Amino acid sequence: MPWNEVVCTVLLALGCVITFSGSYGVLRFPDFYARLHAAGKTDSLAQVLILLGLVFVTPDVLTQIKLLMVAFILLIVAPTATFAITKAAHLDGLRPWTRGGRQ
Amino acid sequence: MNAVVLIDTLLLLLVTVTAVAIIEVRSLYASAILTGIYSLLMALVWVNMHSMDVSFTEAAVGGGISTILLIGTLVHVGRDEKPIKKRLHVPALVFTALTGAALIYGTLDMPRFGDPAAPIHHYRVPEMMAQTVGFVNGTPGKQKPPEGFDVERYRRFDGRITGPIPDDPKDTAWRENSALRLEGLMVPQVHAAHEPHAEPGHHLHPPDDFNGHVPNSVTSLLAAYRGYDTMFETTVIFTAGVSLILLLRRPRREGYLQSGAVMSDQVILRVVSKLSIPFILIFGFYVITHGELGPGGGFQGGVVLATAFILYALIFGRAALYRVVPPPVSDILTGVGVLIYSGTGAVCMLLGGKFLDYSMLNRELPGDGESLGMTLVEYGVGITVSMVMLTIFNQLAEERST
């Protein structure tokens, strides 16, 4: 197996693991903010890993640059979207969950 | 079962689940978000079918702007569905069942999925691709037709296939003896030069002969072959925008721009939106301009452009948006787009061709004329679509604040 495919496989596997744990967190975490934290990891970290992995097996330089640009833009925009949603929920008066129900 | 079928099955299963959830869920916000999810899943299905243009449209229109507009509507109508008594409405059930049965009956006549003997692969499209992508026009400076290829006969070919077409789609041997081969309509050299796709009848053009022509057959179909359809689709969108202005626009009251939360005090949102809006605009123009070369076109690009303006309005308030695009300007541009489209057609007529016969725009290089005409038309579509989307958003937001 050529080295670039090895790198690609490792990055894709990492991305898949993070996506899985993110989905699991969305289902299992106790409140809105914690769930959004899990979902945000999928959006930002996992997609960067997957797109980076694909860069290594793409033969075409132009496509590689496009993939990198997509990864970069998502890396900036996805956390901002998560932030906006969290901020909106906070302004709307949603209190975070605490153990024992204390504020 | 191969991987494509497996992924398709999973995706369509998810689509069905989402559709049921849209009907069942009480909260309209959840319903609107689920509609967006539905569209994104459908976009994946289209990607799986290799129809990138449709997928792009579904993602941009269905997943993107429709969700924004639906949520904008929810601000007016409230976030929860009214509780209704669940009762079986027999006429509605019968009507739905009949409509569904009619639709399924209609699909029985369709060719099987991926059938190489389907009419789309033989009627018009190969000819059109060869026209727009190649030597068939005999364009100066372009590649010469290969030896033994009868250009005149190829252009006269009306797509009829002589002899029976076998039922098995994998059986392609029939084409060897069909009219395509017998009348010299296929290009033997191309097959040899382009071995991986050397299926007879499929590559009527050399793989690298894309210069100055319109290689995207979807755009060729939409903007040239079905140019009238697309023009009237644009007119429908224009009409929607105009009727919305007529129905919803009220005389301006004092302070109509002040209300509504403005998020520009959020530093992160302000900085990131300012960073990303130029790129969204560039991408929108790229999609419109690049429409005849790759997936995308006026509709998708126009929607992308509109989202840039809507993002600006969401972060900085509509007063700021109205300084950038005052409502009179967006109203006029809505009409200008349709005018560009029909005007391009009229210019083709004045130059001596038929309506929307783009090759008239450049007599020396008809292929370049086609390309130019389609770009103009795509810009017309893009301007109208983006401005109508902007108007819809403005009207929804304005209604809220008065």
Side-chain angles (χ1 to χ4, degrees):
Chain A
M1 202 193 235
W3 68 271
N4 59 340
E5 285 187 17
V6 175
V7 176
C8 167
T9 314
V10 170
L11 286 173
L12 286 189
L14 266 177
C16 287
V17 167
I18 290 169
T19 311
F20 178 77
S21 68
S23 321
Y24 191 68
V26 170
L27 290 174
R28 293 287 296 164
F29 274 151
D31 79 333
F32 177 79
Y33 295 108
R35 281 186 202 151
L36 210 60
H37 164 77
K41 288 292 158 297
T42 322
D43 269 0
S44 45
L45 187 54
Q47 63 84 16
V48 171
L49 287 173
I50 289 173
L51 289 173
L52 265 183
L54 292 180
V55 168
F56 281 96
V57 288
T58 313
D60 181 14
V61 177
L62 192 62
T63 316
Q64 285 175 347
I65 294 172
K66 282 180 185 170
L67 281 173
L68 284 175
M69 277 170 72
V70 169
F72 180 68
I73 289 170
L74 275 175
L75 192 61
I76 293 175
V77 169
T80 313
T82 315
F83 164 78
I85 297 169
T86 327
K87 194 78 184 178
H90 183 71
L91 291 177
D92 204 37
L94 185 69
R95 295 276 147 254
W97 176 86
T98 49
R99 196 178 294 277
R102 281 173 283 111
Q103 290 289 320
Chain B
M1 183 184 266
N2 62 12
V4 176
V5 175
L6 188 71
I7 294 173
D8 251 350
T9 315
L10 283 176
L11 282 176
L12 287 172
L13 208 66
L14 276 174
V15 166
T16 318
V17 171
T18 319
V20 172
I22 291 172
I23 301 170
E24 284 300 314
V25 81
R26 284 283 93 167
S27 158
L28 290 175
Y29 267 106
S31 196
I33 298 295
L34 282 169
T35 326
I37 294 173
Y38 177 90
S39 292
L40 289 178
L41 286 171
M42 280 315 288
L44 287 178
V45 174
W46 301 131
V47 170
N48 223 6
M49 288 183 175
H50 289 252
S51 55
M52 295 301 161
D53 281 82
V54 184
S55 170
F56 196 174
T57 317
E58 185 78 50
V61 179
I65 203 141
S66 306
T67 316
I68 300 176
L69 296 180
L70 275 177
I71 289 177
T73 317
L74 288 185
V75 175
H76 305 303
V77 300
R79 61 168 70 187
D80 284 311
E81 207 176 331
K82 267 190 202 148
I84 43 157
K85 273 179 282 178
K86 284 212 171 177
R87 205 154 39 86
L88 195 61
H89 196 277
V90 178
L93 183 68
V94 170
F95 186 74
T96 316
L98 279 179
T99 314
L103 287 174
I104 291 171
Y105 177 70
T107 59
L108 293 181
D109 268 354
M110 281 171 66
R112 275 167 302 165
F113 179 60
D115 188 352
I120 186 80
H121 297 308
H122 298 292
Y123 184 68
R124 287 288 174 195
V125 168
E127 184 196 6
M128 207 180 59
M129 290 195 64
Q131 261 185 17
T132 50
V133 198
F135 43 76
V136 180
N137 276 334
T139 321
K142 303 286 190 252
Q143 191 166 337
K144 290 272 181 296
E147 288 293 313
F149 183 74
D150 189 345
V151 172
E152 277 310 307
R153 181 178 275 178
Y154 187 86
R155 297 182 77 179
R156 281 201 311 274
F157 178 57
D158 63 357
R160 271 182 298 107
I161 308 287
T162 53
I165 294 172
D167 273 340
D168 182 9
K170 285 193 183 119
D171 181 8
T172 51
W174 59 275
R175 282 205 225 95
E176 297 298 318
N177 301 318
S178 71
L180 291 168
R181 169 72 84 192
L182 293 180
E183 300 196 14
L185 298 176
M186 288 194 295
V187 192
Q189 282 90 338
V190 176
H191 298 165
H194 198 40
E195 202 54 42
H197 301 279
E199 201 180 349
H202 266 254
H203 277 268
L204 297 161
H205 56 82
D208 56 350
D209 188 35
F210 285 169
N211 308 323
H213 292 288
V214 185
N216 184 1
S217 60
V218 176
T219 308
S220 311
L221 265 177
L222 288 185
Y225 182 55
R226 298 198 319 146
Y228 285 29
D229 285 25
T230 311
M231 191 176 87
F232 285 114
E233 279 166 22
T234 318
T235 319
V236 165
I237 291 176
F238 168 72
T239 316
V242 169
S243 23
L244 202 87
I245 293 171
L246 291 177
L247 287 173
L248 287 184
R249 190 168 283 176
R250 308 250 173 87
R252 298 267 151 70
R253 280 182 233 155
E254 199 58 38
Y256 71 105
L257 284 173
Q258 263 65 50
S259 55
V262 174
M263 288 199 269
S264 56
D265 56 332
Q266 305 291 330
V267 178
I268 298 179
L269 294 184
R270 201 172 63 220
V271 170
V272 173
S273 61
K274 270 191 179 170
L275 267 178
S276 50
I277 283 173
F279 290 105
I280 299 175
L281 287 174
I282 289 175
F283 183 61
F285 281 117
Y286 166 79
V287 170
I288 297 177
T289 317
H290 209 247
E292 89 263 22
L293 302 172
F299 287 97
Q300 296 94 324
V303 168
V304 172
L305 287 182
T307 48
F309 290 115
I310 290 175
L311 178 65
Y312 188 67
L314 283 177
I315 304 291
F316 298 96
R318 270 179 319 109
L321 177 67
Y322 281 178
R323 277 197 298 277
V324 180
V325 191
V329 171
S330 67
D331 293 355
I332 290 169
L333 282 178
T334 304
V336 165
V338 180
L339 202 64
I340 291 177
Y341 201 135
S342 43
T344 308
V347 166
C348 295
M349 270 172 92
L350 290 177
L351 289 173
K354 295 176 192 153
F355 189 66
L356 292 176
D357 182 3
Y358 308 121
S359 54
M360 286 297 141
L361 293 174
N362 192 340
R363 296 235 177 203
E364 302 285 305
L365 302 167
D368 288 6
E370 298 256 335
S371 203
L372 173 69
M374 284 186 206
T375 308
L376 281 174
V377 160
E378 298 279 6
Y379 265 98
V381 174
I383 291 172
T384 295
V385 169
S386 62
M387 286 305 141
V388 167
M389 293 301 152
L390 195 61
T391 311
I392 296 176
F393 174 79
N394 277 338
Q395 290 310 316
L396 287 174
E398 200 159 296
E399 193 74 352
R400 171 174 51 200
S401 52
T402 46

